Amino acid sequence: MRWTLKPKPNLEKIKSLQKSLKVDELTATLLVQRGVETFEQARLFFRPSLGDLHDPYLMKDMDLAVSRIEKAIENQERILIFGDYDVDGTTAVSLVSSYLRSFYPHVDTYIPDRYNEGYGISFLGIDYAEDNGISLIIALDCGIKSINHIAYAKEKNIDFIICDHHRPGENLPEAVAILNPKREDCQYPYDELCGCGIGFKLVQALGKNRGQNTEDLILYLDLVATAIAADIVPITGENRILAKFGLEVINSNPRPGFKALVQNLKKKQLTITDVVFVIAPRINAAGRIKHGNYAVQLLTEFGLEEAENFAKEIETFNADRKELDQQITAEALSQIIENHEENKFSTVVYQENWHKGVIGIVASRLIETYYRPTLVFTKSGDKLAASARSVKDFDVYNALESCAEFLEQFGGHMYAAGLTLHENQFENFKNQFEKVVSETLPEDLRVPEILIDAEINFKEITPKFMRILKQFEPFGPRNMTPIFYAKNIHDTGFGKTIGKENEHLKLFVKQNDSEGFGAIGFKIGNKFSLTQNRQPFEAVFSVEENEYNDKVYLQLQLRDIR
C-alpha cells in the first residue's frame, strides 16, 4: 500500500474555525479538509435541516413535468414509472410510484430485464406501454441519451418525462420535460443528486403543488438514502441532508421491505456502511440474478408478512449471487495463473458461461488481488460482453476509447464501463488494451493508495473526540471516514491472527505510556510478524466503536501497518 498524508490545510483557516467552534486543532483540520471553513458551514455540516433543501422548481423543466403529470391525473391517463434495474433505479421507481399511488390509482411500474433488454429505456418497455394504453412514461435514473427511444415513443403518442443524473450528450431527447441538474442550461444549485434523489425532487414539487411540505414526505427518504449510499454519489450538500434523514427513517420507522431485510441484524443503529454492504447488495441481487421487479415489489409492499416473503426470495438471490461471485472469481484467478499473466499491466479474462449479472463484482474482486484495470468477459447472444473496473485515478473509459476499433459498443465512466465485441476481435482487443494500459498507467497508480487525513497521538483518541467524529456521519465520497496515522505503536502481547485462513489481525496496542486500544485489521493477517515481541510499528487506521457485553469500547480498524 502507498501511504499518502493529505497536505495540511491553511493554518489560519484552522485557527479561525477552532476559535469560532471551540474545538481542538485536529477536529478543525478534519473539517477544513472537508470544505467546512466557517461557523455557518459547520452548522450546515453538523446540523443538516430539511429546510436547507433547495426549491425543486429551481430545476429546469420541473414546472413542465408537474404540469404534464397533473394533466394526466385530470384526464385519467395511465402513467408508467420506468427505471433501471440497479438500486438507484428500483428505489426511484418505488418512491415515485408509491407517492403517486397514494392519491391516484392508474400507475404502473416497469423495470427492464437485464438480459433481454439491457440498461436504460427499451423498445420493449415502450411497446408494453402502448399495449397497455399508457400515454405518459416517467423514466428514472436513465433516458438522458435515449434519443431514438423517445422518438419511437412519440410516434406512438406516448410522452416522456426524464429524471436522470448521468451526463447528457450533445443533443437531448425530445421529451416533455428533462430533469437533470447536469444539463448545461440548468441552474439548479446542486448537481450531484442520484436518480432517486431527482425522483424525490419531482415528488417534492408535486407535493408543493398539492399543499404538502417536505416533512409530509419524510417517509420516502429511506429509499433516497439507500440510493445515495449504493450509487456512490458525494455525501455533500443536499445528498448529506437526504442521507441523514433517510437513515433516521431506516432506524426509526423503516418500510416493511427494509424491516424484513434487516430484522436478523443484531445492530441497534444502521449506518451508511450497513446500507452499502447489507441492504444495497440484496436489492441489487434481484436484478442481477432474477429481475429488478422483485426489488420494487419488496420496497412498495406495505404488509409485513408479504414483505417478508419477498425478502426471503431476495435473500435466496443474494446467496446465489455470492456463490456465483466466489466461483467465478476463483476460476478467473486460476485463468490468470494458468496463462502466466500475473505480471501484466491489465487483467482481461473470459469464459463463455460466466453469469453476466456478477461479472462487474468479479472484476472488482480481481482488483483486490491484482491491482490493475480489469475486464471480465462472458458470452452474450452472438457477442461477448464485459464489465470493466479501474484503479484509483486511471480512466478506463479513455482506455476503451483507444481500443474502439475492436469494439461493437461501449459506455460508462472513469471507473466502470460496459462493452460488447465480436468474438473474433477478442484477442486483438485484449492485446491492444494491455498496450494502452502499459503506456498510460503511471507507476505510482500500480500500487493501491491509502489517503491519510492526519497524524494522531493515542492520547487524542478519547470518548469526547469520538462523539464529535460520529457527528461527521454519514460518511461517503468527499466526506470519507477519517483515516489516521500513528507511529511508535506496539502490541501488548495479545496479538493473534483470526479467520478461517488466519487472514485477519487482532491486536491490543499501546503508544508509549498511553491507554491501550483493541485493534482489528481485515485481510492483513500476513503482517502479524511485524507486531510480535512488542516491536514498534507504524499504522494507518480509522477509529470506531465496538459493542461487547452491552459495553461500548473505542477500537482501531487497521488499514495497514509497517
Side-chain angles (χ1 to χ4, degrees), residues 388 390 393-404 407 410-417 429 432-433 436-437 440:
S390 192
D393 293 335
F394 182 77
D395 195 325
V396 74
Y397 184 88
N398 282 352
L400 292 175
E401 217 162 24
S402 302
C403 309
L407 302 178
F410 69 101
H413 51 80
M414 182 169 179
Y415 291 119
F429 166 77
Q432 178 68 8
F433 186 72
V436 169
V437 174
T440 56

Side-chain angles (χ1 to χ4, degrees), residues 307-421:
E308 283 172 348
N309 291 334
F310 286 128
K312 276 178 197 158
E313 287 188 274
I314 280 179
E315 203 58 57
T316 307
F317 302 149
N318 195 46
D320 292 347
R321 189 269 307 164
K322 278 184 186 171
E323 204 176 300
L324 281 165
D325 162 11
Q326 287 168 357
Q327 175 203 324
I328 296 170
T329 301
E331 289 173 5
L333 288 169
S334 297
Q335 195 180 111
I336 292 166
I337 291 162
E338 282 165 20
N339 295 339
H340 308 293
E341 293 178 339
E342 301 98 307
N343 297 316
K344 289 183 114 179
F345 291 91
S346 67
T347 297
V348 180
V349 287
Y350 162 57
Q351 194 164 300
E352 65 175 33
N353 61 353
W354 283 343
H355 195 291
K356 195 178 171 189
V358 298
I359 55 174
I361 303 172
V362 171
S364 298
R365 294 264 186 268
L366 296 179
I367 287 175
E368 290 172 16
T369 304
Y370 298 104
Y371 189 75
R372 58 204 191 192
T374 298
L375 286 100
V376 180
F377 277 87
T378 187
K379 195 83 180 264
S380 179
D382 60 345
K383 297 188 185 113
L384 304 191
S387 273
R389 296 291 182 270
S390 192
V391 297
K392 189 171 184 284
D393 293 335
F394 182 77
D395 195 325
V396 74
Y397 184 88
N398 282 352
L400 292 175
E401 217 162 24
S402 302
C403 309
E405 62 188 292
F406 305 113
L407 302 178
E408 181 71 10
Q409 57 182 36
F410 69 101
H413 51 80
M414 182 169 179
Y415 291 119
L419 59 139
T420 57
L421 50 72

